[in-house]
Amino acid sequence: MNKKIFLSDGTEIGNMGIGTWYMGDSPNNRNEEIKSIRYALDHGVTTIDTAEMYGNGRSELLVGEAIKGYDRKKLFIISKVLPNNAGKNRIFQACENTLKRLGTDYLDLYLLHWRGFVPFEETIECMEELKRKGKIRRWGVSNMDIYDMEEILECPDGENCCVNQVLYHLGSRGIEYSLKPFTDNHNIPTIAYCPVAQGGRLRKKLLDSAAVKNIAEKYNITPIQVLLSFVLNQENMIAIPKAAQVKHMKENIECLDIKLSQEDLEILNKEFPAPTRKMPLDIE
Ligand SMILES: NC(=O)c1ccc[n+]([C@@H]2O[C@H](COP(=O)([O-])OP(=O)(O)OC[C@H]3O[C@@H](n4cnc5c(N)ncnc54)[C@H](OP(=O)(O)O)[C@@H]3O)[C@@H](O)[C@H]2O)c1
């Protein structure tokens, strides 16, 4: 069951979405990628995360193709604007291009991909203008640390920031120390990217760890499913694993029904402890 996460405007979304980085890059994988996205949509996972950066628009194009024929109202589409495009001279065209590639006339959520040189005030003003024009329903940010979030919240309309999308997985828990408590306090849910550490590649020891292996055995699931279940177990957090292969997508959706016990979490915490000091924000 997809746990519900509430955005500050009252909108409910499930705690798992579909990551799409690198999707659309290779013509050979295209059919399987579309099947995988549709498998998720057909099984109640209706949040899709993409970005103008991914494959220079190829991911948005692929998503556009995958969602053809689906009821737009039931989807929650997220895309991201590049920092260089996030000022008043470029953002409106960038958003138009994104909408065109996706084949839709609005985004449910538009994120500033990471902090660049355009002042937050200007980006926020533009985001609010895009909302008024009906091009986006709401906006948020990505890769922001606590200092950035403090600055954003001090800007006019900064309190309309809906989410912060950051890297989070069992082997990279830095945000738990102060960033996540801060955003939680401000009613800003976290979207966790790389929730399965890019198939374990980001932290080699994750998949080989005794803790992960034992829990996988206990539930008859794979170590990757343990990683995803750990993220899905967090409060006020949405995981957006990317699975270009249907069999992976299927396994990921199965994780919505896995509830790790307190004992499991203690075992994982012992091997991959929560941070005890402020850590720099990980991006890989
Ligand atoms: N805001 C940002 O700056 C930012 C940065 C990075 C990512 N993101 C977003 O977050 C999404 C997720 O991050 P990510 O794609 O980097 O990493 P990820 O979701 O942690 O890992 C994706 C990799 O794990 C594999 N995988 C997925 N499920 C699996 C399973 N059940 N068993 C075995 N392998 C599995 C995938 O294989 P297959 O694809 O072959 O199935 C793929 O190689 C991205 O796609 C993107 O939408 C955002």
Side-chain angles (χ1 to χ4, degrees):
M1 266 293 287
N2 225 331
K3 196 162 77 181
K4 293 291 172 208
I5 303 293
F6 286 91
L7 303 180
S8 53
D9 62 5
T11 305
E12 279 182 31
I13 58 173
N15 69 332
M16 189 168 129
I18 305 166
T20 65
W21 195 13
Y22 294 115
M23 282 197 189
D25 281 358
S26 153
N28 291 340
N29 299 339
R30 201 171 180 85
N31 279 347
E32 181 75 4
E33 289 166 351
I34 290 176
K35 267 195 207 157
S36 182
I37 293 177
R38 289 186 175 161
Y39 182 90
L41 300 178
D42 293 340
H43 289 80
V45 175
T46 50
T47 296
I48 310 177
D49 179 83
T50 183
E52 62 172 345
M53 187 197 92
Y54 301 164
N56 241 327
R58 284 192 294 272
S59 161
E60 290 177 331
L61 277 172
L62 182 105
V63 170
E65 200 174 327
I67 62 175
K68 265 190 201 138
Y70 283 83
D71 181 354
R72 175 65 185 89
K73 292 189 294 297
K74 294 201 171 130
L75 307 176
F76 191 93
I77 303 179
I78 308 172
S79 194
K80 313 184 195 80
V81 62
L82 282 165
N84 282 348
N85 288 343
K88 56 183 185 309
N89 294 335
R90 294 197 185 173
I91 195 169
F92 300 103
Q93 190 56 53
C95 184
E96 254 343 297
N97 296 343
T98 282
L99 293 175
K100 195 164 171 218
R101 286 188 289 262
L102 286 165
T104 185
D105 49 10
Y106 70 93
L107 292 174
D108 295 278
L109 180 58
Y110 201 28
L111 306 182
L112 169 61
H113 208 150
W114 64 87
R115 186 173 193 165
F117 295 109
V118 177
F120 284 142
E121 287 82 355
E122 183 175 334
T123 302
I124 294 171
E125 242 175 66
C126 297
M127 291 287 193
E128 291 293 324
E129 180 63 17
L130 284 167
K131 266 165 64 177
R132 281 190 294 274
K133 289 180 174 194
K135 302 289 179 185
I136 66 172
R137 292 280 153 90
R138 50 191 79 71
W139 62 270
V141 292
S142 178
N143 295 301
M144 299 297 165
D145 208 338
I146 188 162
Y147 319 105
D148 307 308
M149 291 309 300
E150 282 168 347
E151 259 183 77
I152 288 165
L153 289 170
E154 278 166 14
C155 294
D157 293 322
E159 73 281 2
N160 293 340
C161 176
C162 255
V163 301
N164 186 21
Q165 182 177 121
V166 288
L167 183 145
Y168 180 78
H169 57 75
L170 178 63
S172 181
R173 300 177 59 179
I175 63 164
E176 285 179 44
Y177 185 72
S178 54
L179 176 61
K180 179 145 188 306
F182 178 84
T183 46
D184 280 349
N185 266 336
H186 285 86
N187 220 349
I188 299 174
T190 297
I191 300 184
Y193 74 71
C194 301
V196 300
Q198 295 191 339
R201 286 183 288 278
L202 293 181
R203 293 280 185 288
K204 285 278 178 278
K205 62 181 183 164
L206 272 176
L207 298 186
D208 298 333
S209 97
V212 171
K213 278 183 176 165
N214 289 343
I215 294 170
E217 238 167 69
K218 173 176 164 188
Y219 292 99
N220 197 19
I221 58 177
T222 69
I224 294 279
Q225 286 179 301
V226 175
L227 300 193
L228 183 55
S229 300
F230 173 79
V231 179
L232 292 172
N233 203 77
Q234 306 302 313
E235 290 304 316
N236 210 19
M237 189 180 274
I238 299 140
I240 48 164
K242 172 245 178 187
Q245 300 176 57
V246 176
K247 68 172 181 185
H248 289 161
M249 184 62 87
K250 203 161 173 252
E251 286 175 5
N252 294 347
I253 290 173
E254 281 166 15
C255 294
L256 291 169
D257 292 320
I258 297 167
K259 177 98 188 81
L260 298 178
S261 69
Q262 200 48 45
E263 192 195 349
D264 302 330
L265 293 173
E266 278 162 23
I267 293 169
L268 292 173
N269 282 335
K270 225 174 180 175
E271 204 154 326
F272 301 98
T276 52
R277 63 186 166 84
K278 173 83 185 89
M279 315 279 282
L281 195 59
D282 276 341
I283 49 166
E284 57 178 24

